[in-house]
Amino acid sequence: GAVVSQHPSRVICKSGTSVKIECRSLDFQATTMFWYRQFPKKSLMLMATSNEGSKATYEQGVEKDKFLINHASLTLSTLTVTSAHPEDSSFYICSAWDPATNEKLFFGSGTQLSVL
Amino acid sequence: QKEVEQDPGPLSVPEGAIVSLNCTYSNSAFQYFMWYRQYSRKGPELLMYTYSSGNKEDGRFTAQVDKSSKYISLFIRDSQPSDSATYLCATRGSTLGRLYFGRGTQLTVWP
């Protein structure tokens, strides 16, 4: 299946700093990528849809100024958590459609963010 | 009512047992059904993918969809300790449509 690479796998930062998470589609182009957030023992919560060359579409309740998404190329989408606070601590996962069929969603390995 | 309901468990079974994981969904327009396996602190991995009603088998795994009752099942035969993970069901209505996830069921298979 399609491979989605996510970096870093874990990040610890101080409150007030910004953190950037990268999501890359390997060997395929992804015009659309998705960013999810997951709390312990909870399901995936869709945060936003990242569209190459245009603005991201955010889900209701997700602060677009807090979670900046940039999809500058067909293989890279980034999520920047700005002025991070402890409540932003969570597991963030990106995903992209399988390019062969556009029917299956493949996920990155996730990023555990801990804000002190 | 949530789009997809899934009992979070936890579920604990001995090695070799048959495991049954289930979800229900609310929207009759959903046509694509998936099961993902997620190990701790890892991204979900697509395990099974089915379209519309019916069964699909892949090795020890069988996915079953009953659209009349809006019921999705995943059966694991001869379960192994390596099957210990969280299993998430997911569904959507159309190609490239939004995916709706269940909460995930935490499964432990003990030797």
Side-chain angles (χ1 to χ4, degrees):
Chain A
V3 178
V4 177
S5 174
Q6 188 172 341
H7 240 299
S9 58
R10 186 176 182 89
V11 58
I12 301 172
C13 68
K14 291 183 178 179
S15 187
T17 61
S18 294
V19 174
K20 181 185 282 188
I21 302 170
E22 291 188 350
C23 181
R24 293 181 185 274
S25 56
L26 302 184
D27 299 326
F28 73 97
Q29 296 179 335
T31 55
T32 302
M33 290 186 178
F34 303 90
W35 287 95
Y36 289 84
R37 183 174 181 176
Q38 188 178 35
F39 292 103
K41 300 189 186 300
K42 299 291 185 183
S43 188
L44 299 164
M45 183 190 81
L46 180 65
M47 298 176 64
T49 301
S50 172
N51 304 297
E52 188 270 334
S54 64
K55 290 184 179 180
T57 304
Y58 290 82
E59 294 298 305
Q60 190 174 12
V62 178
E63 299 176 61
K64 56 184 68 177
D65 294 331
K66 159 68 84 174
F67 301 101
L68 298 179
I69 290 173
N70 185 283
H71 197 151
S73 79
L74 287 170
T75 60
L76 175 65
S77 175
T78 61
L79 168 67
T80 301
V81 183
T82 62
S83 186
H85 287 93
E87 58 266 28
D88 298 325
S89 298
S90 190
F91 193 58
Y92 294 87
I93 319 173
C94 67
S95 64
W97 291 111
D98 168 24
T101 62
N102 277 332
E103 291 181 349
K104 302 173 184 178
L105 197 63
F106 289 96
F107 287 86
S109 54
T111 298
Q112 179 64 50
L113 170 64
S114 299
V115 185
L116 305 177
Chain B
Q1 183 184 10
K2 292 191 69 175
E3 288 83 6
V4 184
E5 298 278 2
Q6 183 177 10
D7 185 341
L11 185 60
S12 182
V13 301
E15 183 175 356
I18 296 175
V19 176
S20 173
L21 304 168
N22 308 292
C23 291
T24 58
Y25 63 94
S26 58
N27 192 335
S28 58
F30 290 149
Q31 298 184 69
Y32 298 87
F33 306 92
M34 287 133 275
W35 284 94
Y36 285 85
R37 177 173 62 194
Q38 185 178 23
Y39 292 110
S40 182
R41 293 290 179 260
K42 297 291 183 184
E45 167 196 9
L46 182 63
L47 201 58
M48 298 290 282
Y49 174 87
T50 54
Y51 172 72
S52 195
S53 280
N55 293 356
K56 184 173 183 178
E57 190 174 318
D58 184 359
R60 296 184 295 111
F61 298 89
T62 300
Q64 199 172 76
V65 176
D66 183 347
K67 291 192 73 180
S68 62
S69 58
K70 300 190 185 71
Y71 203 77
I72 316 165
S73 300
L74 177 70
F75 299 98
I76 307 174
R77 292 184 300 281
D78 187 24
S79 56
Q80 303 294 310
S82 58
D83 295 329
S84 299
T86 296
Y87 291 80
L88 300 113
C89 60
T91 179
R92 61 185 169 89
S94 61
T95 305
L96 299 183
R98 176 180 174 163
L99 213 57
Y100 294 92
F101 285 91
R103 287 182 60 185
T105 299
Q106 186 180 346
L107 171 68
T108 300
V109 181
W110 41 276

